[in-house]
Amino acid sequence: MTSKAPPKAASAPAAPIALTRKKSDDFMEWYLEVCDVAELSDKRYAIKGMNIWRPYAYKVMHNIDEFTRKEMARSGHDEVLFPLMIPESYFRKEQEQIKGFGGEVFWVDFAGENKLEERLVIRPTSETAMYSIFPLWIRSHADLPLRTFQIVNVFRYETKQTRPFMRVREIHFFEDHSCFATYEDSEAHMNVDLEVVRNCLTRLALPYITSRRPDWDKFPGAHYSVGCDVVMPSGRTLQCATVHQYKDNFSKAYEITYEAPDGTRKNVHQTTFGMSERLVGATVGVHGDDRGLVLPPEVAPIQVVVVPIIFKGKEKPVLDACADVARRLRDKGLRVHVDDRDRNAGEKYFHWELRGVPLRLEIGPRDLEKQSVMTVRRDAGKAIVPMATVEAEVEKLLQHVQADLLERQTKFQAGQIHRAHKIEEARPLGGIVVLPVCDKATCGHGVEEALDYKTLGVPMDEPSDASRERCAHCGEAAKDWIRFARTY
Amino acid sequence: MTSKAPPKAASAPAAPIALTRKKSDDFMEWYLEVCDVAELSDKRYAIKGMNIWRPYAYKVMHNIDEFTRKEMARSGHDEVLFPLMIPESYFRKEQEQIKGFGGEVFWVDFAGENKLEERLVIRPTSETAMYSIFPLWIRSHADLPLRTFQIVNVFRYETKQTRPFMRVREIHFFEDHSCFATYEDSEAHMNVDLEVVRNCLTRLALPYITSRRPDWDKFPGAHYSVGCDVVMPSGRTLQCATVHQYKDNFSKAYEITYEAPDGTRKNVHQTTFGMSERLVGATVGVHGDDRGLVLPPEVAPIQVVVVPIIFKGKEKPVLDACADVARRLRDKGLRVHVDDRDRNAGEKYFHWELRGVPLRLEIGPRDLEKQSVMTVRRDAGKAIVPMATVEAEVEKLLQHVQADLLERQTKFQAGQIHRAHKIEEARPLGGIVVLPVCDKATCGHGVEEALDYKTLGVPMDEPSDASRERCAHCGEAAKDWIRFARTY
């Protein structure tokens, strides 16, 4: 039957298959285009900042989730799942957090035709849902530590400009919530979490800098917060992980206590640790180039694409060889796709380069004769390898791609971090500037305003003592070197 | 520091660690207790029917999700993720569905302090979210079939009594949404989906019956619906999977069309297929016994627990042997836990029996002498196996547990299905009754009322022609054998 609908997109020209923007010209324009053209995210859903995950991007996210799960299991965390909706009374118990999120949450008022007796918040994060239940789970010191995490979507009524994976209203989110008997135990756990960050981001070939956030930018309710920021190609930073020391701030509000061996009741000390779909945004933004995505092998949905080079009448031996190579690679646990579509080879190269497949293998009649395979790395470099040892050669090449992407970005990051002594000196530098500042919040704010930068905080991954320096803002004795940057 | 909170649960007696209910006495009482005592679900969250997934249950669910993902990849489906919130105007496009769900959805009216211009539905299912976007993805016949699925939580304002995993307001949900050029293609896909159901439920050792739902019980908007129902120990059925033929009902409302090779525009034909956390409920309910859970090995978070039998002064060789056996089993891909806590063996047996670990290994000094291992199946049976071949023996035992659970329930199910000719004859039978009914809806309803049963529908897995029979309600010529049961 023929629909009466007016002619639609199908009659319009097909979506552009090549990038029209260059990464070096305008990073953000390029980023938005690559998210669209490589079919990562569809922004055409009717609610701003609530985007559709297309299959290719969701596979990347799922790979990240799965290795995060492994890391969390290794470090003794258990996965839970708490409800999406939080009664207003739970949410209001901790005043700092309601202040921090109060203006940014979605409220459910009705179920069917019934106005709810108590309205419900759609979780912007899960402290208030979880901490209302933790008192039921924690009775004595024997129940500690309690180390839990969940992987869920959270919701924030973002009023700033939204961008796929970087700033959205429905956020794919990872959150660790752990409780300890003592402050010392919780401090030690900060390092456990920071090691998980290290292992996860290394699999994405993403170096980052670790800074202790200033008090005015810590997470609502936190005692202090540590941020892990990736330096994007524009020189701006993207916060990709945060680890928070809550001390007993929440456990007092939510009465999370335990019976100590001496019979007294004490408040637990808590830490949290969060990551999100920003890891996808950082991976796309950092590694991509003018031809599209460049995905680190550890997280690529397809690690190796095999393209048969076919001449009429000689299809079968080539296709058989491709299938055989693919099978051998899959037996090694690799994610392999054979592109045997009826298209020309150039079109296929283009298609998989746009999608960032780390390694392409080409096999044609001449390769069969020589019993060799042409390998083409997405980042750089071609080589002919013997077919007999293709598994070992491919594994080695993928390791090289992974290592080289990390090394390239590590160098880029190093070149983006500049120490300076005075604001005027810092102004033209771009990227991240590190200035000596005294301990007055007004001076931190003063530098932010003068540069139109945000404070990342005190470096935790390099020396931060600036007691021999003068504050870049007031000229009095400085305390720490502090990082400032433009942020996404 | 000592909290001022009043003494809490910690001073009260510890939670009961044994079941007080017998499955044979009252199935539902036993089920609710086992969900609680085996730490599967915490119902103490402040919103009725929105429960907390505790780690052990979430691992079972995650195992189910992961093999569902593999099945869906095998059958050519791509995973997507659509937003949780749906604008009211999207939701209202298809009238049947709004009628079906209108009274059961949660509405978001406010974001922060702002009343939204258009209120948003929290998805009860995702047809209306996805089908508003599919027209942008489907342009020509070359874009078909489009086979997608997502694994998300959905929300229904359930007014009936809620029960963990069986009937809740926040539902962990799997939904396949696929589009085809022709009705024939979509019909063929119904069988692809039914094969996925078969493969998934077999891994849970769950047999089931497949019935075509009567028109009055099909999914809102569906052309017809097929239900897969598990027979629970009480004789009631639990709907665990449904496959729907939508024909072009939704594609007309949402204008999902494609350009056919002849240049005309046609509506796509659609199918959907859903499963949910009810699979956990069915697994718990069907296989468990008076000692607690009995988990099929394919889905058990821990497949093998190794318990060292320790005598003072002889710990080390036994613990070393346990660690060695565990390592060898893990190398085979098995999920193994060594319980080396300082508790007596009996307590450990009890703990892991409650949690349904399919196989326990006991290793003590005498086993070391004989180089053997004691194996204890959770379902039934002990055997001593040689330590030298423990991997092969354990794999074989786990296969037997899996097969025997399936076989046991298959027999139970067969014994619960009764054909009858008249309502009076059916009344005392219990379980599922199959009666000849004519094609008048009033007769189907009449049988439902007379028995206080619901209609499951026309059997699709055994002969259903009842044209030689008389309708059990009106006495006129019957059409089909129809299944009726009490349902959860």
Side-chain angles (χ1 to χ4, degrees):
Chain A
M1 130 202 19
T2 308
S3 153
K4 288 175 195 160
K8 274 184 313 197
S11 332
I17 51 163
L19 292 175
T20 63
R21 310 288 184 161
K22 284 196 185 305
K23 188 175 178 183
S24 48
D25 287 348
D26 184 324
F27 167 69
M28 189 47 68
E29 291 287 324
W30 169 89
Y31 175 82
L32 295 174
E33 191 180 30
V34 80
C35 285
D36 183 31
V37 175
E39 298 187 321
L40 302 180
S41 180
D42 197 322
K43 291 181 299 182
R44 294 171 292 179
Y45 195 73
I47 308 174
K48 178 192 156 191
M50 296 194 181
N51 303 327
I52 299 153
W53 287 81
R54 303 199 69 170
Y56 199 66
Y58 200 72
K59 284 198 187 96
V60 174
M61 190 74 246
H62 189 62
N63 288 342
I64 295 173
D65 287 343
E66 287 302 289
F67 65 62
T68 302
R69 285 191 167 99
K70 279 195 191 132
E71 278 293 310
M72 294 306 276
R74 178 190 61 72
S75 53
H77 295 81
D78 282 319
E79 187 167 6
V80 293
L81 185 62
F82 273 70
L84 169 78
M85 299 183 193
I86 303 168
E88 184 167 13
S89 57
Y90 279 33
F91 187 62
R92 292 214 179 274
K93 273 192 198 165
E94 204 285 323
Q95 289 303 318
E96 288 294 317
Q97 197 161 55
I98 182 89
K99 256 193 281 172
F101 283 107
E104 289 186 9
V105 292
F106 293 90
W107 292 99
V108 174
D109 279 278
F110 279 85
E113 303 300 316
N114 308 316
K115 189 159 169 61
L116 297 172
E117 282 177 33
E118 178 175 10
R119 62 181 190 157
L120 308 171
V121 180
I122 303 293
R123 66 174 160 241
T125 172
S126 301
E127 279 75 0
T128 59
M130 297 172 97
Y131 300 174
S132 301
I133 294 296
F134 281 3
L136 301 172
W137 292 359
I138 298 170
R139 294 147 184 262
S140 86
H141 59 94
D143 298 319
L144 296 173
L146 175 73
R147 289 170 295 206
T148 66
F149 74 100
Q150 61 181 18
I151 297 178
V152 294
N153 282 14
V154 298
F155 297 81
R156 297 178 188 175
Y157 185 62
E158 192 57 66
T159 51
K160 295 185 195 164
Q161 190 181 356
T162 59
R163 295 182 174 115
F165 312 121
M166 285 196 191
R167 188 175 292 280
V168 288
R169 287 181 171 176
E170 174 167 3
I171 308 164
H172 187 77
F173 192 57
F174 157 91
E175 48 182 333
D176 164 2
H177 294 267
S178 297
C179 302
F180 304 89
T182 65
Y183 183 72
E184 291 66 39
D185 289 351
S186 66
E187 278 290 285
H189 194 69
M190 300 285 286
N191 291 323
V192 171
D193 284 346
L194 284 167
E195 192 188 347
V196 174
V197 175
R198 169 71 54 199
N199 292 341
C200 287
L201 270 72
T202 300
R203 296 185 81 150
L204 301 172
L206 290 176
Y208 55 91
I209 53 175
T210 306
S211 315
R212 180 167 165 148
R213 297 280 186 251
D215 277 354
W216 64 84
D217 193 35
K218 67 188 185 186
F219 189 74
H223 178 56
Y224 72 87
S225 296
V226 176
C228 299
D229 300 289
V230 169
V231 185
M232 300 299 283
S234 58
R236 291 193 185 205
T237 60
L238 184 68
Q239 172 179 298
C240 282
T242 46
V243 185
H244 308 288
Q245 171 59 262
Y246 284 176
K247 216 177 157 199
D248 52 5
N249 293 354
F250 282 88
S251 76
K252 283 178 186 163
Y254 289 86
E255 296 178 18
I256 312 173
T257 65
Y258 66 97
E259 187 172 300
D262 66 5
T264 60
R265 295 211 68 81
K266 298 188 180 192
N267 280 96
V268 303
H269 291 76
Q270 294 178 279
T271 65
T272 64
F273 151 39
M275 300 193 293
S276 76
E277 63 180 86
R278 282 190 165 183
L279 292 175
V280 175
T283 303
V284 168
V286 162
H287 300 304
D289 65 19
D290 291 347
R291 288 179 293 145
L293 301 177
V294 178
L295 291 176
E298 296 255 16
V299 81
I302 299 171
Q303 296 171 310
V304 181
V305 62
V306 183
V307 178
I309 310 297
I310 288 181
F311 298 91
K312 284 283 172 216
K314 293 187 178 176
E315 291 92 346
K316 185 156 182 350
V318 167
L319 288 173
D320 286 351
C322 289
D324 184 57
V325 165
R327 184 190 51 71
R328 285 163 57 195
L329 296 175
R330 286 192 192 111
D331 283 349
K332 292 286 171 187
L334 296 173
R335 299 184 285 273
V336 184
H337 178 73
V338 179
D339 187 352
D340 54 8
R341 292 175 298 167
D342 186 19
R343 304 265 181 96
N344 74 54
E347 248 183 282
K348 295 179 184 180
Y349 299 166
F350 193 81
H351 180 91
W352 297 112
E353 283 171 359
L354 174 61
R355 284 159 182 79
V357 174
L359 191 65
R360 179 173 84 228
L361 304 186
E362 303 168 11
I363 302 177
R366 284 217 306 216
D367 301 287
L368 286 193
E369 273 168 34
K370 296 186 201 155
Q371 280 296 297
S372 67
V373 177
M374 170 66 86
T375 68
V376 185
R377 285 172 55 164
R378 175 62 181 83
D379 57 336
K382 293 187 179 196
I384 292 169
V385 304
M387 198 171 289
T389 55
V390 68
E391 299 98 321
E393 299 287 350
V394 162
E395 284 179 339
K396 201 164 59 186
L397 284 165
L398 290 174
Q399 282 164 15
H400 288 167
V401 174
Q402 183 81 26
D404 290 354
L405 291 178
L406 181 64
E407 192 190 332
R408 191 178 67 179
Q409 175 67 4
T410 303
K411 279 187 192 152
F412 173 79
Q413 176 182 290
Q416 290 288 317
I417 303 176
H418 312 286
R419 279 206 178 188
H421 290 83
K422 295 190 186 302
I423 291 174
E424 305 77 64
E425 206 186 316
R427 212 184 297 274
L429 294 175
I432 295 155
V433 295
V434 194
L435 287 165
V437 182
C438 71
D439 59 0
K440 294 195 292 291
T442 47
C443 283
H445 284 301
V447 176
E448 286 191 328
E449 273 174 37
L451 291 172
D452 194 18
Y453 272 33
K454 300 286 282 177
T455 311
L456 299 183
V458 178
M460 295 184 65
D461 41 18
E462 59 175 32
S464 68
D465 177 21
S467 55
R468 294 179 177 198
E469 309 286 335
R470 297 267 133 205
C471 174
H473 190 255
C474 70
E476 292 177 16
K479 182 164 175 281
D480 290 303
W481 289 96
I482 295 192
R483 289 170 173 156
F484 298 87
R486 290 212 166 83
T487 62
Y488 285 112
Chain B
M1 130 204 22
T2 308
S3 153
K4 289 175 196 160
K8 273 182 314 195
S11 331
I17 51 163
L19 293 175
T20 63
R21 310 287 184 162
K22 284 197 185 304
K23 189 175 176 183
S24 47
D25 287 348
D26 185 325
F27 167 70
M28 189 47 67
E29 289 289 322
W30 168 89
Y31 176 83
L32 294 174
E33 191 180 32
V34 81
C35 285
D36 183 31
V37 176
E39 298 187 320
L40 302 180
S41 180
D42 198 322
K43 291 181 299 183
R44 293 172 293 179
Y45 194 73
I47 308 175
K48 178 193 155 190
M50 295 194 181
N51 303 328
I52 298 152
W53 287 82
R54 302 199 70 170
Y56 199 67
Y58 200 72
K59 283 197 187 96
V60 174
M61 191 73 247
H62 189 63
N63 288 341
I64 295 173
D65 287 344
E66 288 302 288
F67 64 60
T68 303
R69 285 192 166 99
K70 279 194 190 132
E71 278 292 311
M72 294 306 277
R74 178 191 62 72
S75 53
H77 295 81
D78 282 319
E79 187 167 6
V80 293
L81 185 62
F82 273 70
L84 169 77
M85 299 183 194
I86 304 169
E88 184 167 13
S89 57
Y90 278 34
F91 187 63
R92 293 214 180 273
K93 272 191 199 167
E94 204 284 324
Q95 288 303 318
E96 288 294 318
Q97 197 160 57
I98 182 89
K99 255 192 282 170
F101 283 108
E104 289 187 9
V105 293
F106 293 90
W107 291 99
V108 173
D109 279 278
F110 278 85
E113 303 299 316
N114 308 316
K115 189 158 170 60
L116 296 172
E117 283 178 31
E118 179 175 10
R119 63 181 189 155
L120 308 171
V121 180
I122 304 292
R123 66 173 160 240
T125 173
S126 302
E127 279 75 1
T128 58
M130 297 172 98
Y131 301 174
S132 300
I133 293 297
F134 280 3
L136 301 171
W137 292 359
I138 298 170
R139 295 147 183 262
S140 87
H141 59 95
D143 298 320
L144 296 173
L146 176 73
R147 288 170 295 207
T148 65
F149 74 101
Q150 60 182 19
I151 296 177
V152 295
N153 282 15
V154 297
F155 297 81
R156 297 178 188 173
Y157 185 62
E158 192 58 65
T159 50
K160 294 186 197 164
Q161 189 181 356
T162 59
R163 295 181 175 116
F165 311 122
M166 286 196 191
R167 187 176 293 280
V168 289
R169 287 181 172 177
E170 174 166 3
I171 308 164
H172 187 78
F173 192 58
F174 157 90
E175 49 182 332
D176 163 3
H177 294 267
S178 296
C179 302
F180 304 90
T182 65
Y183 182 71
E184 291 67 38
D185 290 352
S186 66
E187 278 290 286
H189 194 70
M190 299 286 286
N191 292 323
V192 171
D193 284 348
L194 284 168
E195 192 188 347
V196 173
V197 175
R198 168 72 55 197
N199 292 342
C200 287
L201 270 72
T202 299
R203 296 185 83 151
L204 301 171
L206 291 176
Y208 55 92
I209 52 174
T210 306
S211 316
R212 180 167 163 149
R213 296 279 186 252
D215 277 356
W216 64 84
D217 193 34
K218 65 189 186 186
F219 189 75
H223 177 56
Y224 73 87
S225 296
V226 176
C228 300
D229 300 289
V230 169
V231 185
M232 300 298 282
S234 59
R236 291 193 185 205
T237 60
L238 184 67
Q239 172 179 298
C240 282
T242 46
V243 185
H244 307 287
Q245 171 59 263
Y246 284 175
K247 216 177 155 199
D248 51 5
N249 293 353
F250 282 88
S251 76
K252 283 178 186 163
Y254 289 86
E255 297 178 16
I256 312 173
T257 64
Y258 67 97
E259 186 172 301
D262 66 6
T264 60
R265 294 211 69 81
K266 298 186 180 191
N267 280 97
V268 302
H269 290 76
Q270 294 178 279
T271 66
T272 64
F273 152 39
M275 300 191 293
S276 76
E277 65 181 83
R278 283 190 163 184
L279 293 175
V280 175
T283 303
V284 169
V286 162
H287 301 303
D289 64 20
D290 291 348
R291 288 179 292 146
L293 301 178
V294 178
L295 292 176
E298 296 255 15
V299 81
I302 298 171
Q303 296 171 309
V304 182
V305 61
V306 182
V307 178
I309 309 297
I310 288 181
F311 297 90
K312 284 281 172 216
K314 293 188 178 175
E315 291 92 346
K316 186 157 181 348
V318 167
L319 288 172
D320 286 352
C322 290
D324 184 56
V325 165
R327 184 191 51 70
R328 285 163 57 195
L329 296 176
R330 286 192 192 112
D331 282 350
K332 293 286 172 185
L334 295 173
R335 300 185 285 272
V336 184
H337 178 72
V338 179
D339 186 352
D340 54 8
R341 291 175 300 167
D342 186 18
R343 303 265 179 96
N344 74 54
E347 248 184 282
K348 294 180 185 180
Y349 300 165
F350 192 82
H351 180 91
W352 297 112
E353 282 172 359
L354 174 61
R355 283 159 183 79
V357 174
L359 191 65
R360 180 173 83 227
L361 303 187
E362 303 168 11
I363 303 177
R366 283 217 304 216
D367 301 287
L368 285 193
E369 274 168 33
K370 296 185 199 156
Q371 281 296 295
S372 66
V373 177
M374 170 65 87
T375 67
V376 184
R377 284 171 56 162
R378 175 63 181 84
D379 56 337
K382 294 187 180 198
I384 293 170
V385 304
M387 199 171 288
T389 54
V390 68
E391 300 98 320
E393 300 286 351
V394 163
E395 284 180 338
K396 201 163 59 185
L397 284 165
L398 290 173
Q399 282 163 14
H400 288 167
V401 174
Q402 182 80 27
D404 290 355
L405 291 178
L406 181 64
E407 193 190 332
R408 191 178 67 179
Q409 174 66 5
T410 303
K411 279 186 191 153
F412 173 78
Q413 176 182 291
Q416 290 288 317
I417 303 177
H418 312 287
R419 278 205 179 188
H421 290 82
K422 295 190 187 304
I423 290 175
E424 305 76 64
E425 206 187 314
R427 212 184 298 274
L429 295 174
I432 294 156
V433 295
V434 195
L435 287 165
V437 182
C438 70
D439 59 359
K440 294 194 292 291
T442 47
C443 283
H445 284 301
V447 175
E448 285 190 330
E449 274 174 37
L451 292 171
D452 194 19
Y453 272 32
K454 301 285 283 178
T455 311
L456 299 182
V458 177
M460 294 183 66
D461 41 19
E462 59 175 31
S464 69
D465 178 21
S467 55
R468 295 177 176 200
E469 309 286 335
R470 296 268 132 205
C471 173
H473 191 255
C474 69
E476 292 176 17
K479 182 163 176 281
D480 289 304
W481 289 97
I482 295 191
R483 289 170 173 154
F484 298 87
R486 289 213 167 82
T487 62
Y488 285 112

